[in-house]
Amino acid sequence: MPTRARLAHSNRVVERAREKLRGRLVIDHVVPDYRARRPKPCMGGGGWMVINVTPSGRALPCHAAYVIPGPTFPSVREASLAWIWQESAPFRAFRGTGRMREPCRSCERREVDFGGCRRQAMLLTGDPRNADPACELSPRHRAVREPAEAESTGDAPFVPRRPMRRPPAMPVAPLPAAEG
C-alpha cells in the first residue's frame, strides 16, 4: 500500500501526464480509497457516466465489471450502444438504487457515490450489492481500513517498473463490418 506521500506524488505524475497528453490519450487513474470516510463513485460514475467497450465488444459499466458474477454484459456486436446504455438489464441494475442494501439504501449520498465500487464491494464482502467497505458506514470498513493503514506506513523503497520497450509494429487486420 502506498504511503500518503507516495500517493500524492503519483497523483502529481498522473496530472502532468494528463496535461501533456490531453486530446491524444485519456488516463484513468483510480486513487485508492482505503483512507476515505466515504466511497467515491465507481470509476467516477461507472454505469452512470462511463461505458467501457472491451476489444471483444463487451460493454461494461466499469473496466473491471467482468469480475462481478451474474450479469452477462451485452456486446456492441449484438446491440447498439444506445440500447445497451438505456435498456440493458446489467446497466440498469448497475445504475439503480434498488440493488442497494443498508446502509446505502437509506443513505443521503446514495445518488452521489452510488454506493461506491461494486467490484470492490464484491471482492471484499462477497456480494456486489453490499456497501463498499471504503465507506465508514459499512460494517466492514474497519476490517479493510486498519490493515491498509498498517501496510502503508512501511519504509519499503519505491521501485518503479522498468519502462516498456516499444514492440515492433504488427499488421492489424480490419474488424469485420457490424451486421444490422
Side-chain angles (χ1 to χ4, degrees):
M1 295 289 180
T3 63
R4 289 180 194 269
R6 288 180 184 155
L7 182 57
H9 173 73
S10 71
N11 290 340
R12 288 189 300 272
V13 169
V14 168
E15 284 308 311
R16 284 194 303 266
R18 282 179 172 158
E19 288 173 22
K20 180 180 177 183
L21 299 169
R22 190 174 317 276
R24 293 185 292 158
L25 179 70
V26 174
I27 299 173
D28 285 334
H29 177 60
V30 181
V31 179
D33 54 7
Y34 54 84
R35 290 189 177 97
R37 290 184 57 233
R38 297 292 174 97
K40 60 185 175 298
C42 180
M43 287 296 298
W48 293 79
M49 299 184 310
V50 175
I51 188 169
N52 287 266
V53 179
T54 69
S56 68
R58 264 315 139 215
L60 303 172
C62 85
H63 69 285
Y66 63 89
V67 303
I68 298 173
T72 300
F73 293 100
S75 172
V76 296
R77 295 174 190 231
E78 300 162 1
S80 71
L81 272 177
W83 182 88
I84 291 169
W85 182 260
Q86 296 166 359
E87 303 297 329
S88 71
F91 273 79
R92 291 175 60 152
F94 205 89
R95 278 194 294 268
T97 56
R99 59 147 171 88
M100 293 180 176
R101 293 182 174 161
E102 291 298 339
C104 301
R105 180 173 288 157
S106 59
C107 181
E108 62 195 33
R109 294 181 47 90
R110 70 183 166 273
E111 292 187 19
V112 174
D113 61 30
F114 314 117
C117 176
R118 300 299 85 222
R119 181 184 61 93
Q120 183 163 279
M122 195 275 302
L123 292 173
L124 296 174
T125 73
D127 192 321
R129 297 170 297 173
N130 287 338
D132 183 335
C135 182
E136 69 182 351
L137 301 177
S138 167
R140 300 216 170 110
H141 181 67
R142 286 185 62 177
V144 171
R145 184 177 178 154
E146 289 174 0
E149 285 285 348
E151 287 182 30
S152 70
T153 59
D155 292 325
F158 176 70
V159 180
R161 290 193 275 175
R162 291 179 292 145
M164 289 180 55
R165 293 191 181 134
R166 187 178 195 142
M170 303 210 30
V172 177
L175 291 174
E179 293 182 26

